[in-house]
């Protein structure tokens, strides 16, 4: 039996734009996903195309048990966390000898396959290595971890990443003269953010701008807007959709002493709040129970 865990992620800047050769900044967050894999003659596991594909890639069969406090289909990278932790646990249980680098690559390949070709390496990179990254196409640059105080608001409205990705593609092909400059502006935000990573108040303003641009891409939702406004009016430095949008989660960057107040405001507006911070550890082997 082998148990591995991997963290979730938030995009601070650049979701969707990363699928159009633009950079994005994302960081690993708590909570984590825990996956146990066991060699057995009667394999069973939760119905998941990600898990099926993990076993297919390694050409083995086993049972899987998942323990996750990360809400699924909410933009917090739960499918990537399940994929990298499952690959690592299979690798360990069956002595396959793959490196972390190979697991990250394989996880990205699986994400692309399951999501029909349109997935950036962001979720799988951040979940494998932990910490904070600048991602651009196939490349990654590790950034110095920052002690950001984050409040996530889950709208509890289910969304489909692939549907949102398609929606942006449609917008782009229908209105290229409008949407291409929006993607350029998101890139400009990321480049500016890179110069101010240790200034949360400044980054908050950039997050507000990135949120408007995501709405222009067509991935907003009234409930996400309510949660974003609730966080801002309670004193967040800034707040935005995080992930694919259309539902799922928003994230606020906040002064430490008012995180709980922001979480309360999110809950008043029917969101599920998670107070969190960076997780500098990526994949981790857990002690077997
Ligand atoms: C989803 O969390 C973020 C997107 O940019 C897709 C991706 O990066 O794979 C919409």
């Amino acid at each position: 039996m082998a148990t591995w865990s991997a963290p979730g992620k938030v995009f601070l800047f650049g979701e969707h734009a990363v699928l159009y050769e633009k950079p994005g900044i994302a960081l690993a967050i708590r909570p984590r996903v825990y996956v146990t894999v066991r060699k057995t003659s009667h394999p069973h596991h939760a119905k998941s195309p990600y898990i099926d594909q993990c076993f297919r890639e390694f050409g083995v069969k086993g049972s899987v048990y998942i323990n996750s406090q990360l809400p699924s289909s909410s933009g917090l990278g739960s499918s990537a966390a399940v994929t990298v932790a499952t690959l690592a646990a299979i690798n360990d249980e069956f002595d396959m000898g793959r490196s972390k680098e190979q697991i990250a690559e394989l996880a990205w390949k699986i994400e692309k396959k399951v999501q029909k070709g349109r997935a950036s390496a962001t979720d799988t990179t951040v979940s494998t290595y932990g910490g904070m990254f600048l991602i651009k196409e196939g490349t990654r640059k590790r950034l110095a971890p920052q002690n950001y105080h984050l409040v996530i608001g889950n709208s509890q409205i289910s969304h489909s990443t692939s549907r949102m990705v398609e929606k942006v593609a449609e917008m782009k092909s229908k209105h290229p003269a409008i949407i291409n400059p929006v993607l350029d502006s998101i890139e400009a935000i990321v480049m500016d953010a890179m110069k101010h990573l240790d200034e949360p108040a400044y980054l908050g303003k950039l997050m507000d701008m990135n949120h408007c641009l995501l709405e222009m891409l067509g991935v907003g939702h009234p409930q996400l807007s309510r949660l974003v406004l609730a966080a801002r009016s309670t004193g967040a430095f800034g707040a935005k959709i995080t992930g694919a949008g259309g539902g799922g989660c928003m994230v606020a960057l906040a002064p430490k002493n008012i995180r709980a107040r922001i979480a309360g405001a999110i809950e008043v507006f029917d969101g599920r709040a998670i107070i969190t911070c960076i997780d500098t550890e990526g994949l981790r082997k857990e002690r077997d129970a």
Side-chain angles (χ1 to χ4, degrees), residues 265-286:
I266 287 170
E267 300 263 343
V268 164
F269 283 90
D270 298 327
R272 273 278 162 83
I274 305 174
I275 295 178
T276 188
C277 58
I278 192 164
D279 190 339
T280 52
E281 241 185 314
L283 266 175
R284 181 172 78 202
K285 182 169 168 62
E286 304 290 336

Side-chain angles (χ1 to χ4, degrees), residues 37-95:
V37 168
R38 195 154 61 88
K39 271 186 205 167
T40 152
S41 46
H42 302 292
H44 66 91
H45 56 75
K47 254 187 156 181
S48 156
Y50 295 96
I51 296 176
D52 290 344
Q53 200 56 40
C54 289
F55 279 102
R56 220 166 282 141
E57 291 291 340
F58 278 121
V60 294
K61 288 193 171 139
S63 288
V64 181
Y65 174 73
I66 295 174
N67 177 4
S68 171
Q69 278 114 42
L70 202 60
S72 60
S73 301
S74 64
L76 300 182
S78 79
S79 62
V82 166
T83 305
V84 297
T86 303
L87 288 173
I90 297 173
N91 186 46
D92 187 4
E93 175 74 351
F94 292 86
D95 283 323

Side-chain angles (χ1 to χ4, degrees), residues 115-148:
Q115 292 173 24
K116 311 235 170 356
R118 291 197 72 87
S120 73
T122 314
D123 293 20
T124 46
T125 300
V126 167
S127 197
T128 302
Y129 298 103
M132 188 156 103
F133 283 90
L134 175 76
I135 303 281
K136 190 173 176 191
E137 294 175 86
T139 68
R140 62 169 189 265
K141 178 179 159 60
R142 188 182 270 286
L143 305 174
Q146 304 287 330
N147 190 19
Y148 299 140

Side-chain angles (χ1 to χ4, degrees), residues 9 11 14-19 75-77 111 115 118-123 161 164-165 242-244:
K9 72 97 201 7
F11 260 101
E15 50 275 269
H16 287 289
V18 289
L19 297 175
L76 300 182
E111 284 247 305
Q115 292 173 24
R118 291 197 72 87
S120 73
T122 314
D123 293 20
T161 297
M164 289 300 120
V165 167
T242 188

